[in-house]
Amino acid sequence: MKTSALGRLGWPVSFIGLGGIAIQRLDDEAAAAVVVAALATGVNFIDSARGYTDSEAKIGKGIRGIERERFFLATKSMERTAEGLLADIAKSRANLGVDMIDLYQLHNVKDDASLDQVLALGGALEGAEEARRRGWIRAVGITGHVTSVLEKAIATGHFATCQFPYNVIETRVEERLLPACVEQDLGIIVMKPLAGGALGPDWAEQSLRFFLDKPVSVVIPGMDSLEQVVANCRVGQAGHPLTAEETAQVQEALRSLGERFCRRCEYCMPCPHGVNIPVTFLLHGYWTRYNLQDWAQERYGAMAVKADACRECRVCEARCPYDLPIREMLKEAHANLDDPGLKKEN
């Protein structure tokens, strides 16, 4: 497996890593088998999150008994305070069954207010630094979907890695964010290399080959089968970069998809009627592409304002840089995610 240094940390991470979101839908035995197979095939970077239900625990079972030196563990938390982050790190260590986690990331820092909060006195960054002093974690990273916020975050110099969405049809990060990470020698972790599952099996190989000549450290597709492990890892072992002609062909073939999915840039926000549009589409993506219907419906059911609050004012559509038919997409998302059974239970 091709390896690259994780930025200035220097850790030799595998080109293909294991994204931990997909194994939520597997039982413990099947999830552990995927983790073991990935490690046996050359993967040495595993990423999860506190928000991925039982992903950490399943990964913990998969790595049990395997030499700790064979892999790097990364996970992340949405907590914004030092106290909350320390509590989450303790849970992550217990779930994963390790004393030290290699990389702990501040998860989905999505706006200036969130960034200010994590950087403030008593914020999550303070908790991460305390965890590092205690020997609970080795390094601190940040993840997000909004380029401008991530640019501000990495400019502070506090983070060793940056994780963001990037794929063959989402290349805007190449304009500023990617060069900024390279300039500061940050480890670059690519999430959603298959566009959150939108780039299906027919395009998986090309989508991963796209990164072979890019200045990224590790690409973390979700994998929920042994077949996916073998196919994805093959790219990291013997793949060659897409030619310019192949890239153009893939982008042209996927043009229709690119016109109809949310990139979570959040330019549509705030909604005048309180709908969290990106989160609604994120959950709908889990419903349609990740086979996590129950989980997505449960999360959607807990939202204070649902998509049916939309009054079709079109403010969001006027702001969307991708000209998405947001009103229509919200109706579709609500139709799939709204579970009357949850209302009865609540």
Side-chain angles (χ1 to χ4, degrees), residues 60-72:
K61 292 176 181 177
I63 62 176
R64 188 176 299 159
I66 297 176
E67 296 88 345
R68 185 63 180 85
E69 298 76 21
R70 287 183 54 190
F71 55 86
F72 299 97

Side-chain angles (χ1 to χ4, degrees), residues 2 15 208-214 216 235-236 238-242:
K2 172 187 174 183
F15 171 71
L208 294 175
R209 283 175 54 207
F210 170 76
F211 295 102
L212 282 167
D213 60 354
K214 302 294 187 292
V216 303
V235 176
H240 55 276
L242 291 180

